[in-house]
Amino acid sequence: MRTPHLRPGPGYARQRGVVLFIALIVLVAMTLAGIAVMRSVGTNVLISGNMAFKQAATSVADYGVEVARAWISGATPTTLQSDGAPGTATAGYYSSWQYDPTQPGNPAANFDPFQYNWANAMLVVPAPDPSTQVQYVIHRMCSLPNAGPNAVNQQCVTVSTTSTGGSTQNVLSGGQQPLTNTTQIYYRVTVKVTGPRNATSFIQTTLY
């Protein structure tokens, strides 16, 4: 018995063309989805890297604060009463807080660490990390520059500390050791750290 051979109708070729068209659409969609995933992963990696650089720059800034503290401790009272000179070991030190609310349009009278001219800042050499640059500026918290804390019309932010020449035991027992009051001026230290990929970090602290 012979089986009759059936010829495909004219719609068969059209059906094969539709399947190919749908397959091409799916392939394009999968390609676009893959590209989107790759871009998303690359962006996340870039963001994570930038956050890591930012955190590293912030941690290095603590070293700048310590260097500034050592500079203040080693400076003489005469040095601390005068503004530093650019290009010298005192560059970046200012004997006033450089802020005057009555002159909002004068940038020299309003301190802004984010818009400050860091060309005259103190540069920490060597830096704790070769890939970073650490700079700091110090402001004595007084209203008048180039003047002593007891000058006329001078206003300074100070703290008073009480000490005694005797031992702790004498203090607790109410001995006759005289108490000594010492007034110390506050200093504002602003540190700027510039790291890889232009990562920049600012920290500010107050010392006395």
Side-chain angles (χ1 to χ4, degrees):
M1 181 177 178
R2 298 177 61 184
T3 302
H5 180 69
L6 299 178
R7 295 183 178 180
Y12 180 74
R14 290 196 299 269
Q15 291 179 0
R16 289 193 301 175
V18 171
V19 172
L20 179 60
F21 181 71
I22 295 176
L24 291 175
I25 294 177
V26 173
L27 182 60
V28 171
M30 293 178 62
T31 303
L32 295 177
I35 294 175
V37 171
M38 291 180 62
R39 291 178 59 89
S40 176
V41 172
T43 302
N44 292 335
V45 171
L46 182 61
I47 293 175
S48 300
N50 291 338
M51 292 180 62
F53 285 126
K54 183 71 173 180
Q55 294 175 357
T58 303
S59 63
V60 171
D62 293 335
Y63 180 75
V65 173
E66 180 60 25
V67 174
R69 183 204 62 78
W71 187 92
I72 295 173
S73 300
T76 63
T78 303
T79 301
L80 296 177
Q81 291 181 10
S82 303
D83 288 343
T88 66
T90 60
Y93 175 77
Y94 300 89
S95 57
S96 68
W97 55 53
Q98 290 193 323
Y99 176 77
D100 186 359
T102 64
Q103 300 181 14
N106 184 1
N110 293 271
F111 174 73
D112 185 352
F114 300 100
Q115 298 179 358
Y116 192 73
N117 181 14
W118 289 90
N120 296 330
M122 295 184 182
L123 179 64
V124 177
V125 178
D129 187 345
S131 61
T132 60
Q133 182 185 64
V134 182
Q135 298 172 281
Y136 66 89
V137 291
I138 303 173
H139 289 81
R140 186 182 65 162
M141 301 305 290
C142 293
S143 58
L144 299 179
N146 304 315
N150 297 323
V152 179
N153 297 327
Q154 178 71 283
Q155 297 179 354
C156 296
V157 181
T158 60
V159 59
S160 296
T161 58
T162 303
S163 62
T164 178
S167 63
T168 305
Q169 182 179 0
N170 292 332
V171 176
L172 294 177
S173 60
Q176 297 181 356
Q177 296 290 337
L179 299 178
T180 302
N181 292 329
T182 303
T183 301
Q184 298 182 359
I185 300 175
Y186 278 105
Y187 297 88
R188 179 181 59 203
V189 178
T190 307
V191 181
K192 174 185 177 182
V193 180
T194 305
R197 295 185 184 177
N198 294 325
T200 304
S201 178
F202 291 87
I203 69 169
Q204 195 173 80
T205 186
T206 304
L207 306 175
Y208 67 87

